[in-house]
Amino acid sequence: VQLQASGGGLVQAGGPLNLSCVASGSIFAVGYMGWYRQAPGKEREQVAIMYGRGSTYYADSMKGRVTISKNDAWNTVYLQMNNLKPEDTAVYYCRARFRAHEEGFDQDYWGQGTQVTVSS
């Protein structure tokens, strides 16, 4: 399984940005798909997660400003971000937990990062 993230870019403070993450390969079951971010000099942190049964998690710093959603095929997850702040500048990574086959076991996957830069 591979994850391909896209949608990053440069945006002015207060503006919106939408990220996408597409999973390719054999997927039998989804544990979760979601987004993390890592700013320069800081540890990687959770942003938003959507679990296989549909529940969601949002980091306190992003609540009210981001929405995570998925497609019906459960191989693409989106992150809609609004009212972005300069402190949201980071590399955003897609992460997922899948089971590739019915007889298999859950594995975690990371996509390549996509840079989000918010100018003041």
Side-chain angles (χ1 to χ4, degrees):
V1 176
Q2 291 188 328
L3 301 177
Q4 181 70 41
S6 62
L10 175 64
V11 62
Q12 287 189 332
L17 200 63
N18 296 324
L19 306 182
S20 298
C21 175
V22 180
S24 59
S26 175
I27 300 172
F28 173 76
V30 179
Y32 62 79
M33 290 186 75
W35 295 92
Y36 286 65
R37 68 182 182 183
Q38 187 166 21
K42 295 188 177 181
E43 293 186 355
R44 194 170 296 188
E45 62 178 1
Q46 286 183 327
V47 175
I49 304 291
M50 177 168 278
Y51 294 93
R53 296 191 177 185
S55 61
T56 56
Y57 162 85
Y58 293 102
D60 287 342
S61 61
M62 302 298 283
K63 279 181 181 177
R65 299 191 295 123
V66 297
T67 302
I68 190 169
S69 60
K70 65 173 183 66
N71 67 346
D72 290 341
W74 234 136
N75 65 353
T76 302
V77 67
Y78 308 96
L79 187 69
Q80 180 179 354
M81 302 187 289
N82 296 301
N83 191 22
L84 284 165
K85 304 175 182 179
E87 52 263 42
D88 295 321
T89 295
V91 178
Y92 284 69
Y93 296 91
C94 179
R95 184 181 184 185
R97 178 168 292 171
F98 295 132
R99 182 175 301 179
H101 307 284
E102 184 174 6
E103 301 81 13
F105 51 89
D106 294 345
Q107 283 188 282
D108 286 345
Y109 300 88
W110 286 95
Q112 93 293 355
T114 184
Q115 177 71 45
V116 172
T117 303
V118 184
S119 64
S120 57

